[in-house]
Amino acid sequence: MTLQLATTSPAAGWSNRPASGSTRWFDIESASHQCGLSQGHLRRLCGDQWLACGKARMGAQGRWEISADAHPRLLLAGRQVTDDQVDLAVLTNSHRAILLQREEICMAWHVFRMAASPGAKLADIAGPFVDQWRLRGVEFSIRTLHRWYGEWTIQGRKGVIDRRAKNAAKAMGECGVEDHSNPFYEALKDWYLAAPPNTKRTAYKLARRQAAKAGWPVVSYGQAARYLRKLNPAQVTAARRGNKAFDDLHAAYTDRDYTRFVPLGEVERDMQSNDLWCGDHHECDVIVRAGQRIDHRTGETIPIYRRPWLTAWQDVHSRRIVGWLIRVQDPNATAVIESLVNAIDRTDNAVPRMVLIDNGKDYDSFAVQGVTKQQRFKLQRRKVRVEFEAVCAGALKLIGAHVQHALPFNAKSKPIERWFGTFEDQFGRLWPTYCGNTPQNKPQALSDILAAGTQVPTLEQFIEAAGEYIEQVFHHQVHTGQGMNGRTPSQVYDQDLVTKLAITDPIADLLRHKMGVPVRVGRNGVSVRGVTYGRNDPILRDHHGQEVVVAIDTRDVSRAVVWSPAGELIGSVAAHKLMPFGAVPETQWLDVERQKKRHNKALKQVRKHGLRVHPDALAMLVESKLQEARQASAQAATPPKGPRPPHSVKMVRTGLEEQLAAMKSDEQRRERMQLRPAVGAEHVAAMDDFYRRAAEDEMPSDDGGGAILDLWGES
């Protein structure tokens, strides 16, 4: 027999049910067909339970009869389920259509079951019923059909409504309010928000175990999960992920105006280029080949793979990257200084009015700021403003830039952090060795690419490509940020550069010297990081036992510049060359011994008689002649002619320019001097300096010897 769906409306067949209030009895075959239970199971229920409570009786011919009240599904034939349990007007059109369709399926399934033969099994007739609905484009399983039908027979439309629908609880008259006075919910919440955090399932099991001991009523897991989903997201984030995640996702933030600026001690004005530079480090998300090593077990050459570090400075107003440095070594104060020097070189010796940096030990170091982080914190706790004693202390102090520290552990306070994301999105992702910023973002094929090694770029290739991207792509693409007005970073930087602060070339060269904390001059000079400078050097003789500041040239660590704590330039010293073991030439040994004896002899004289600082007449005369020569040269100099620059240039004077010039001249003189003056010839050194300056045209000379004759008063 082929089963067909009822051609009449399901509601028409449904209206033939007896009205509520009358008791209906079913024979064992009809009850089995209605409930979906076997006849044997129903006979056992009748004898064990239903006969005693009057829900079953023995009918004619000794056959069981079951009341409609014995089983919920039997109420379907004896009770009219009203259709006004759900307010359809509250639901959306799509969810209303889903509800009515499910109700229609349940009604059709009821008529389909009643039309089947009494001995047919539900499993045999459910399959053809589902297949015929599938032909109409409605997909559901046999298990879903039984679930819908069971809930519908008990609750009506409430049983088949999609509870995920918006306003579903309101449509059912529950108003979306659940009773959470049960202490089980509070225990569930505590377990879910505990540290370390638990999953919903684990929290439910722990709360159920606690409720069993306390005697609380337990809700279903579905209700528990629904309660946890309704918790305050900010509270869940703070408890399960920490304060940083709460600040990043939920805490309020401050909007910044990139067009306004408040200089230190001045009033608010329009922001200009070079008003504020922001610097920071970033570990690139690209793996490069930084070298190779030898495997001592196999003798094979193994490449060294690293993620390079990028240290960059950004002009906050124009978003232009003014300077950067890429290397594989971990960032430190040297990287900060070298990137700052790179920024000054790229902007033609321009310096910022203010810098925004973080609180890391590399930025908050003596070499960068002239004060250590510990010293700055102590002064801040005492509410005393930090003032550097020496103008040479720290690279940022040397260029006259005011330092502003970002909020600790808050990347949003540094605008350059956003550019690092742009750098990776537009540049880093283009490389085959892109590794992602988290393990979840790591490409699956990265391990195979590194194992092959053919597509891994070298560090030099990465540095060159990064420079081309910054200069040729980022600086010349339209930026949509605040205050950019559809312009590129290069256009904004050039157009809004009103007054340019600049430093001289000697000061820019001095920035390449990394300054350390004050050290004491010993008998072998000064020692910095295991290297001795200025051994047997006469310029340190007068400062024996005193503290000095040593600035090491980052390009050539064999040279260093020495300063006094007051900021006075002492001179340039060289690293001491150690005497090797073995066959050393006698001439080399004699030179070392001769230098040591001269230094010790001069040091004894200083300790015995003290320093003689009074000048004699000859020295005063030489100095006066040199001063006149400088004035004459300055008056004869004419300013260069050329077009007027589009912006005014204001030179930053540090007071060190004259000292640097004198130090350079002294170095040249010491290099040319081969003989020392004899004992008693105290003025030979001064005369050598006079002849040298005369030879370099630092003083006017008419006939080559007239200046010398004038010095002695001859004609």
Side-chain angles (χ1 to χ4, degrees):
M1 180 182 66
T2 303
L3 297 177
Q4 298 290 338
L5 286 173
T7 56
T8 59
S9 173
W14 186 255
S15 62
N16 294 328
R17 294 176 300 172
S20 59
S22 60
T23 304
R24 184 177 180 181
W25 294 85
F26 298 86
D27 57 17
I28 194 67
E29 292 82 2
S30 300
S32 175
H33 183 74
Q34 188 73 28
C35 298
L37 303 176
S38 65
Q39 296 183 15
H41 189 189
L42 290 177
R43 291 189 184 97
R44 287 191 297 272
L45 291 176
C46 291
D48 297 341
Q49 302 178 13
W50 293 343
L51 180 61
C53 60
K55 295 183 179 180
R57 65 185 181 184
M58 187 64 66
Q61 301 179 358
R63 303 186 66 176
W64 285 104
E65 293 181 354
I66 303 172
S67 173
D69 299 335
H71 195 274
R73 293 187 178 179
L74 295 177
L75 292 175
L76 185 63
R79 178 175 58 87
Q80 176 71 36
V81 180
T82 60
D83 294 336
D84 57 354
Q85 295 175 328
V86 177
D87 186 4
L88 299 179
V90 178
L91 299 175
T92 61
N93 295 333
S94 59
H95 287 100
R96 187 185 307 113
I98 293 175
L99 172 61
L100 296 178
Q101 185 183 65
R102 290 180 180 180
E103 184 182 29
E104 181 184 0
I105 293 173
C106 293
M107 290 181 179
W109 172 239
H110 173 71
V111 175
F112 193 81
R113 291 177 55 177
M114 298 302 293
S117 60
K121 298 181 179 180
L122 292 179
D124 296 336
I125 64 176
F129 179 81
V130 172
D131 292 340
Q132 294 190 33
W133 276 94
R134 187 176 292 114
L135 294 176
R136 298 173 55 178
V138 182
E139 294 283 346
F140 57 89
S141 63
I142 297 177
R143 184 176 181 179
T144 302
L145 173 65
H146 291 321
R147 179 171 57 84
W148 286 350
Y149 184 72
E151 296 293 337
W152 178 71
T153 56
I154 299 175
Q155 304 183 42
R157 285 179 174 173
K158 282 187 177 181
V160 294
I161 191 173
D162 189 355
R163 297 182 180 271
R164 297 171 300 176
K166 184 178 180 181
N167 297 330
K170 184 177 180 181
M172 294 185 295
E174 300 176 0
C175 299
V177 179
E178 297 182 4
D179 184 14
H180 296 155
S181 59
N182 186 354
F184 174 82
Y185 287 107
E186 194 65 28
L188 176 67
K189 176 182 176 182
D190 293 341
W191 284 114
Y192 184 65
L193 301 180
N198 299 306
T199 61
K200 293 184 177 68
R201 180 70 67 176
T202 303
Y204 175 74
K205 291 181 179 180
L206 295 173
R208 188 175 59 183
R209 189 175 302 174
Q210 184 178 353
K213 296 180 180 180
W216 302 332
V218 179
V219 300
S220 65
Y221 174 72
Q223 290 177 302
R226 187 164 55 251
Y227 168 77
L228 294 178
R229 285 194 299 266
K230 293 181 180 179
L231 294 177
N232 188 352
Q235 181 184 10
V236 174
T237 301
R240 295 175 62 87
R241 300 177 57 184
N243 295 331
K244 186 179 185 306
F246 172 81
D247 293 337
D248 294 340
L249 299 177
H250 303 285
Y253 58 89
T254 303
D255 291 330
R256 291 184 173 180
D257 189 356
Y258 288 81
T259 62
R260 304 295 295 172
F261 180 69
V262 183
L264 183 64
E266 301 180 17
V267 296
E268 182 180 346
R269 59 169 174 79
D270 292 337
M271 197 171 189
Q272 305 173 7
S273 300
N274 294 339
D275 274 345
L276 178 62
W277 286 3
C278 180
D280 200 5
H281 304 298
H282 170 69
E283 189 175 14
C284 300
D285 299 337
V286 179
I287 297 178
V288 301
R289 186 169 66 249
Q292 59 186 12
R293 62 182 180 88
I294 304 286
D295 191 346
H296 299 286
R297 295 176 299 177
T298 62
E300 298 180 353
T301 301
I302 302 176
I304 300 176
Y305 294 149
R306 293 287 188 271
R307 291 176 60 184
W309 281 91
L310 168 63
T311 304
W313 292 89
Q314 182 185 41
D315 179 59
V316 175
H317 175 64
S318 64
R319 278 73 160 186
R320 178 183 176 183
I321 305 302
V322 292
W324 63 89
L325 174 69
I326 299 177
R327 65 179 197 175
V328 295
Q329 293 82 7
D330 292 338
N332 53 14
T334 302
V336 176
I337 295 175
E338 290 183 3
S339 61
L340 179 62
V341 172
N342 180 270
I344 294 175
D345 291 342
R346 291 181 178 274
T347 55
D348 194 15
N349 286 359
V351 294
R353 291 176 174 81
M354 182 182 296
V355 294
L356 177 62
I357 56 178
D358 61 12
N359 299 271
K361 62 180 181 180
D362 42 4
Y363 282 95
D364 207 355
S365 61
F366 186 89
V368 178
Q369 298 191 47
V371 64
T372 62
K373 188 173 184 177
Q374 183 180 10
Q375 293 172 349
R376 186 172 64 86
F377 280 176
K378 287 182 179 180
L379 294 175
Q380 287 180 350
R381 283 194 294 267
R382 298 173 187 173
K383 297 182 179 180
V384 178
R385 184 179 174 184
V386 179
E387 292 290 351
F388 304 133
E389 296 181 0
V391 70
C392 64
L396 297 177
K397 180 64 178 178
L398 185 62
I399 64 176
H402 176 66
V403 179
Q404 181 180 1
H405 289 274
L407 297 177
F409 307 103
N410 191 346
K412 297 187 296 294
S413 60
K414 292 172 291 186
I416 195 175
E417 291 282 0
R418 180 63 187 89
W419 178 79
F420 288 147
T422 303
F423 177 80
E424 297 297 344
D425 291 339
Q426 299 183 1
F427 177 75
R429 293 180 183 272
L430 304 180
W431 295 87
T433 55
Y434 175 77
C435 60
N437 56 350
T438 60
Q440 292 77 12
N441 297 334
K442 178 182 177 181
Q444 185 176 1
L446 179 62
S447 301
D448 298 336
I449 294 176
L450 295 180
T454 57
Q455 301 183 26
V456 182
T458 63
L459 177 62
E460 293 74 16
Q461 293 173 346
F462 182 80
I463 294 176
E464 182 180 0
E468 293 178 355
Y469 161 76
I470 296 174
E471 289 288 358
Q472 302 179 14
V473 179
F474 178 75
H475 286 171
H476 297 282
Q477 65 183 2
V478 176
H479 200 290
T480 59
Q482 182 196 23
M484 300 297 289
N485 300 326
R487 297 176 293 175
T488 66
S490 294
Q491 292 175 347
V492 177
Y493 183 86
D494 296 336
Q495 295 174 8
D496 295 349
L497 184 58
V498 180
T499 302
K500 174 183 174 181
L501 296 180
I503 58 176
T504 59
D505 292 336
I507 299 299
D509 183 73
L510 184 61
L511 283 175
R512 294 178 171 85
H513 293 71
K514 181 180 178 181
M515 302 180 185
V517 296
V519 294
R520 192 175 300 277
V521 180
R523 57 182 181 179
N524 280 343
V526 292
S527 179
V528 180
R529 300 177 64 180
V531 180
T532 302
Y533 293 90
R535 182 177 182 179
N536 301 332
D537 200 314
I539 66 172
L540 296 180
R541 186 183 307 153
D542 298 341
H543 301 274
H544 183 75
Q546 302 177 4
E547 287 190 345
V548 294
V549 178
V550 181
I552 302 175
D553 193 344
T554 57
R555 301 161 300 178
D556 182 12
V557 295
S558 63
R559 302 295 302 178
V561 179
V562 183
W563 308 80
S564 68
E568 298 177 357
L569 181 61
I570 297 177
S572 175
V573 293
H576 172 59
K577 184 178 181 181
L578 299 179
M579 179 65 67
F581 288 96
V584 180
E586 182 181 4
T587 56
Q588 181 178 355
W589 178 80
L590 291 177
D591 290 340
V592 174
E593 288 296 321
R594 192 179 299 110
Q595 293 178 6
K596 184 175 65 175
K597 289 181 180 180
R598 286 199 300 262
H599 177 75
N600 293 338
K601 180 179 179 180
L603 187 61
K604 290 180 181 179
Q605 294 294 330
V606 171
R607 291 180 178 179
K608 182 177 180 180
H609 302 288
L611 295 177
R612 292 180 295 177
V613 297
H614 57 278
D616 53 4
L618 178 61
M620 294 177 61
L621 182 60
V622 171
E623 184 61 28
S624 63
K625 289 294 183 180
L626 292 177
Q627 184 66 23
E628 293 176 1
R630 296 192 194 101
Q631 294 178 359
S633 300
Q635 294 176 1
T638 57
K641 298 181 180 180
R644 183 177 180 182
H647 53 264
S648 60
V649 179
K650 181 179 180 182
M651 302 303 297
V652 178
R653 296 296 179 181
T654 62
L656 303 176
E657 288 78 10
E658 292 77 7
Q659 299 186 44
L660 291 174
M663 182 192 71
K664 184 177 181 180
S665 301
D666 185 65
E667 288 181 354
Q668 296 175 354
R669 179 186 61 82
R670 292 167 60 190
E671 291 176 358
R672 285 196 294 264
M673 287 180 61
Q674 300 296 332
L675 300 175
R676 289 183 52 83
V679 178
E682 292 84 359
H683 306 302
V684 174
M687 291 300 300
D688 288 344
D689 184 66
F690 175 81
Y691 281 118
R692 178 188 57 78
R693 299 196 182 190
E696 295 177 356
D697 295 331
E698 293 189 8
M699 59 181 298
S701 177
D702 297 333
D703 53 358
I708 301 178
L709 296 178
D710 293 340
L711 174 66
W712 294 100
E714 299 179 1
S715 58

